[in-house]
Amino acid sequence: EAGVTQFPSHSVIEKGQTVTLRCDPISGHDNLYWYRRVMGKEIKFLLHFVKESKQDESGMPNNRFLAERTGGTYSTLKVQPAELEDSGVYFCASSRAGESTDTQYFGPGTRLTVL
Amino acid sequence: GENVEQHPSTLSVQEGDSAVIKCTYSDSASNYFPWYKQELGKGPQLIIDIRSNVGEKKDQRIAVTLNKTAKHFSLHITETQPEDSAVYFCAASPTDSWGKLQFGAGTQVVVTP
């Protein structure tokens, strides 16, 4: 079974540009999460999809971040326009439907650097 | 909201010794506590978890203990090996957050041969 995949693995952009990150969850997983780790700090929750619906987006920093999950399969996270403080590693995780404590499987992350 | 503190931030141990990482949480409604291991270039991987109705759980060389009264939980790794070197994260999930994990800041563990 393929794991969670993320693309790209690295992205370097200039302040003010737009970047789109993609996450492909494990097949059949209804739950999809986005997290971010900035500068060696804790991994912070951004948002949670159940299928194509946003269940919880309380962690989204501001309206420069837009997440979508059309059709309930893969998800994209767009940052527009990017700021210096957006640099970090963005992780995607997925879990199957059911218990809230079902294991979340993480992807390898996308390292975003904003110059 | 939930706040998770993790100590130490770095831990250096000799191969064969034990390693202990401690976390405290603030939300008494938290009922699920996973531990993740992140190796270089990879995403975090679940290594063990514990639910609030259990005080201790063991899986080979790894064990986790939970003290609900004191709101702290710990990861114990015995007979450490070089491949245990990684960053370890604790996390907590409150019952009302449905899957949202609140992570600690991570512990860099280095096992020296």
Side-chain angles (χ1 to χ4, degrees), chain B residues 50-97:
Chain B
I50 192 166
R51 286 162 175 78
S52 58
N53 57 346
V54 175
E56 184 174 355
K57 185 176 177 181
K58 196 171 181 180
D59 182 5
Q60 299 182 337
R61 297 186 296 107
I62 293 173
V64 58
T65 58
L66 171 65
N67 183 327
K68 283 190 65 182
T69 304
K71 289 191 278 189
H72 66 71
F73 55 113
S74 300
L75 178 72
H76 304 252
I77 307 173
T78 58
E79 300 171 28
T80 53
Q81 300 166 5
E83 53 264 37
D84 294 329
S85 296
V87 179
Y88 291 79
F89 293 96
C90 63
S93 183
T95 50
D96 60 352
S97 72

Side-chain angles (χ1 to χ4, degrees), chain B residues 16-71:
Chain B
D17 287 351
S18 295
V20 180
I21 303 170
K22 298 182 179 182
C23 289
T24 59
Y25 62 99
S26 60
D27 189 342
S28 56
S30 288
N31 67 337
Y32 175 60
F33 306 91
W35 284 88
Y36 283 82
K37 174 184 180 183
Q38 186 182 9
E39 296 174 293
L40 206 59
K42 298 183 179 180
Q45 283 195 307
L46 181 75
I47 54 171
I48 196 166
D49 57 14
I50 192 166
R51 286 162 175 78
S52 58
N53 57 346
V54 175
E56 184 174 355
K57 185 176 177 181
K58 196 171 181 180
D59 182 5
Q60 299 182 337
R61 297 186 296 107
I62 293 173
V64 58
T65 58
L66 171 65
N67 183 327
K68 283 190 65 182
T69 304
K71 289 191 278 189

Side-chain angles (χ1 to χ4, degrees), chain A residues 31 33 35 37 40-45 48 55-56 58 91 98-109, chain B residues 31-32 36 38 41-46 49 51 87 89 93-95 97-106:
Chain A
N31 294 290
Y33 305 84
Y35 292 87
R37 189 179 191 212
K41 296 187 178 179
E42 73 271 24
I43 299 171
K44 278 198 161 183
F45 168 85
H48 169 207
Q55 176 80 11
D56 181 352
S58 61
F91 292 107
E99 297 293 324
S100 63
T101 56
D102 278 348
T103 299
Q104 293 186 28
Y105 296 89
F106 279 73
Chain B
N31 67 337
Y32 175 60
Y36 283 82
Q38 186 182 9
K42 298 183 179 180
Q45 283 195 307
L46 181 75
D49 57 14
R51 286 162 175 78
V87 179
F89 293 96
S93 183
T95 50
S97 72
W98 222 100
K100 173 180 173 180
L101 295 176
Q102 181 70 41
F103 284 87

